[in-house]
Amino acid sequence: MVKVLIPSGALGLGYDREALARGIAQQPDIIAIDGGSTDSGPHYLGTGTSKYSRNSTKSEWRELMAARAQAGVPLIIGTAGTCGADDAVDWLVDITREIASETGERLKIAVLKSGQQGSDMATAYAQGRISPLPAAPDIDADTFSSCSNIVALAGAEQIQAALETGAEIVIAGRTTDTAIIAALPLARGCTAGGAWHGAKIGECGALATTSPNSGTILIEFDAEGFTMTPMGAEARATPHTVSAHMLYENSDPYVLYEPGGHLDVTNAIYTALDDRRVRVTGGVWHVADRYTVKLEGARCVGFQTVSLALVRDPRYVENIREWCEDIRLKCTAKAAARVGGTFSIELRLIGVDATLGSLEPRAPSSAEVGVLGIVTAETEALSREVAKMLNPYLLHHPLTEQEEMPTFAFPFSPPEMSRGAIHEFCLNHVLTLEDPMQAFRLSTIEVGS
């Protein structure tokens, strides 16, 4: 049996300290926590930075390092620094080094990096070793050199290699959410289907329970399946909460693809052991004919300046789309004539359809609409210049030429706010490897006194 303690869905989200203490009391074999994902958009991979504050990250990581010391087991984090880029890994390594210096610990750390060189990926592409996933964007050899960061998603094999170094802490770059949980149970002979299934259920901590914010759960893996137990005082796991998590961020509720194969839970059985624990068996792991890892890449696509105007006049609210389209056309024409360059103007209607756009099923009924002007341009200076040209339109533009000039509200002065460089995801592909470690770099360091 292998016990994996998962403190939270991600480092930086917070967790119930009492629940973590209960988990440590259960004598886990490893503590595993995710560090991020692509959920928050391409900026973090594009820049190699974390979405979470350094102070919050350091505070929670310090507590987990103390819990590791108390339990005497390895502590592992995957997708360090939100995106798992090499710079983000180094960021968390520096935080770990700082904490160890402050606490007087001497620690061995395994550092697993997932970053890829664009030139290496272009070569792999030319060799036919990179293929698209469904709905992947079109790419060519130049796509790889345009990326500011490319990462490969590590699986269980790479995490096992890091654990085999004997390190007290493993800080990994981009990994699949499940790999850091499944690695040790697989290495110790637990059933592969149960290891991957339990890892999927546990990837977000207590999200698969009745109290998602409690954070901490314990999963016990064995030769036939796994048992999930929430550590929060009021949290419960039920067959519904556990089975439903297969739908989370997964296009197929029965199949999960990972490096080296896929999990099939079509015949899984979910049994309530009591009012808190769920036992799961029946997941099957199928080994793939080739070993592939997913690639993610992000690149800069321009610079952005945004402005926000508030519209309350009932007539303008009723005709807000026509008003915005007239502004967009006229400001675009003026900016093209006066400054040239490559740019675009978008006006999003907050309170109308800013989230869903044309998919919005409800008619607007707002007393107030926020108009978010978004100028994207090839340079930061051009985005600011066009945004300033947009300013008087958002403040005073009339619906028709035969009416008094209106005045709307800017909540800020100046209303133009620079977003700096913006990024987009440009890779959703898989890379075929001859050896699981081929695209990854593993090293160990000593930190502390």
Side-chain angles (χ1 to χ4, degrees):
M1 179 180 293
V2 176
K3 297 180 181 180
V4 179
L5 182 65
I6 304 154
S8 172
L11 183 67
L13 285 179
Y15 47 83
D16 182 338
R17 271 66 180 173
E18 293 182 359
L20 178 63
R22 292 189 195 97
I24 295 299
Q26 295 297 313
Q27 298 180 319
D29 296 288
I30 193 170
I31 302 170
I33 189 166
D34 188 25
S37 71
T38 58
D39 291 358
S40 298
H43 170 84
Y44 305 101
L45 179 58
T47 58
T49 57
S50 174
K51 68 173 284 187
Y52 298 109
S53 83
R54 191 181 194 280
N55 286 336
S56 292
T57 300
K58 181 179 177 180
S59 176
E60 292 184 16
W61 192 234
R62 179 192 290 269
E63 291 174 347
L64 295 184
M65 287 173 62
R68 182 219 66 79
Q70 180 182 351
V73 299
L75 167 64
I76 182 169
I77 184 168
T79 312
T82 301
C83 60
D86 290 354
D87 286 346
V89 172
D90 292 338
W91 178 75
L92 189 59
V93 169
D94 286 344
I95 291 174
T96 308
R97 192 189 309 275
E98 193 174 292
I99 294 170
S101 176
E102 293 168 355
T103 60
E105 290 183 274
R106 183 69 176 171
L107 296 167
K108 181 178 181 180
I109 301 176
V111 180
L112 178 69
K113 290 193 172 181
S114 306
Q116 308 298 311
Q117 294 294 323
S119 57
D120 293 340
M121 294 300 97
T123 299
Y125 179 72
Q127 295 171 342
R129 295 197 294 117
I130 293 178
S131 53
L133 290 168
D138 293 333
I139 64 170
D140 56 30
D142 293 334
T143 302
F144 304 101
S145 61
S146 73
C147 293
S148 50
N149 278 303
I150 301 172
V151 290
L153 275 67
E157 293 83 0
Q158 296 85 1
I159 300 302
Q160 288 168 349
L163 291 172
E164 287 169 2
T165 65
E168 287 98 344
I169 296 175
V170 175
I171 299 177
R174 189 70 169 108
T175 69
T176 71
D177 294 348
T178 48
I180 59 172
I181 301 172
L184 187 62
L186 288 169
R188 294 190 178 177
C190 297
T191 174
W196 284 112
H197 193 182
K200 171 60 181 172
I201 301 307
E203 63 177 349
C204 291
L207 193 61
T209 76
T210 59
S211 300
N213 290 331
S214 59
T216 308
I217 62 171
L218 183 76
I219 301 184
E220 300 174 72
F221 297 90
D222 54 49
E224 297 179 353
F226 67 93
T227 300
M228 200 267 254
T229 306
M231 293 292 103
E234 305 298 326
R236 294 184 300 113
T238 71
H240 172 76
T241 64
V242 172
S243 62
H245 197 74
M246 280 298 299
L247 283 166
Y248 181 74
E249 298 180 335
N250 199 30
S251 60
D252 189 317
Y254 299 110
V255 176
L256 176 71
Y257 288 93
E258 293 285 337
H262 72 272
L263 169 70
D264 185 346
V265 300
T266 304
N267 297 314
I269 299 172
Y270 303 82
T271 304
L273 298 181
D274 49 40
D275 64 350
R276 288 175 50 81
R277 299 178 298 152
V278 171
R279 171 77 174 156
V280 183
T281 57
V284 178
W285 175 253
H286 298 276
V287 178
D289 295 333
R290 59 190 183 126
Y291 191 91
T292 62
V293 293
K294 184 185 176 187
L295 293 176
E296 294 170 350
R299 61 186 173 191
C300 179
V301 290
F303 298 82
Q304 216 166 67
T305 301
V306 298
S307 304
L308 181 63
L310 305 177
V311 177
R312 290 187 59 85
D313 184 292
R315 182 164 171 268
Y316 282 81
V317 169
E318 183 179 352
N319 296 281
I320 195 69
R321 286 192 176 89
E322 293 83 353
W323 183 72
C324 286
E325 181 62 8
D326 194 40
I327 288 175
R328 188 186 68 81
L329 291 173
K330 289 179 176 175
C331 188
T332 297
K334 177 185 286 188
R338 295 186 178 179
V339 298
T342 302
F343 67 90
S344 65
I345 299 174
E346 179 186 2
L347 299 175
R348 293 187 190 173
L349 303 178
I350 300 171
V352 178
D353 59 4
T355 303
L356 296 181
S358 62
L359 297 177
E360 177 57 59
R362 295 174 294 180
S365 59
S366 304
E368 177 178 83
V369 175
V371 179
L372 182 65
I374 304 172
V375 177
T376 306
E378 57 188 335
T379 67
E380 190 163 14
L382 180 58
S383 74
R384 285 198 305 269
E385 187 70 9
V386 176
K388 288 185 176 184
M389 291 184 180
L390 182 62
N391 181 314
Y393 288 96
L394 293 177
L395 187 61
H396 291 305
H397 188 64
L399 271 170
T400 69
E401 297 298 332
Q402 290 74 43
E403 60 187 275
E404 294 181 359
M405 183 176 68
T407 298
F408 303 106
F410 286 141
F412 310 108
S413 178
E416 296 84 23
M417 297 168 281
S418 175
R419 291 193 60 227
I422 60 169
H423 297 79
E424 69 175 5
F425 290 122
C426 55
L427 292 176
N428 188 35
H429 295 67
V430 292
L431 169 68
T432 300
L433 301 179
E434 296 179 1
D435 177 87
M437 291 302 295
Q438 182 181 353
F440 301 89
R441 304 179 311 284
L442 177 62
S443 62
T444 59
I445 59 173
E446 300 277 344
V447 302
S449 57

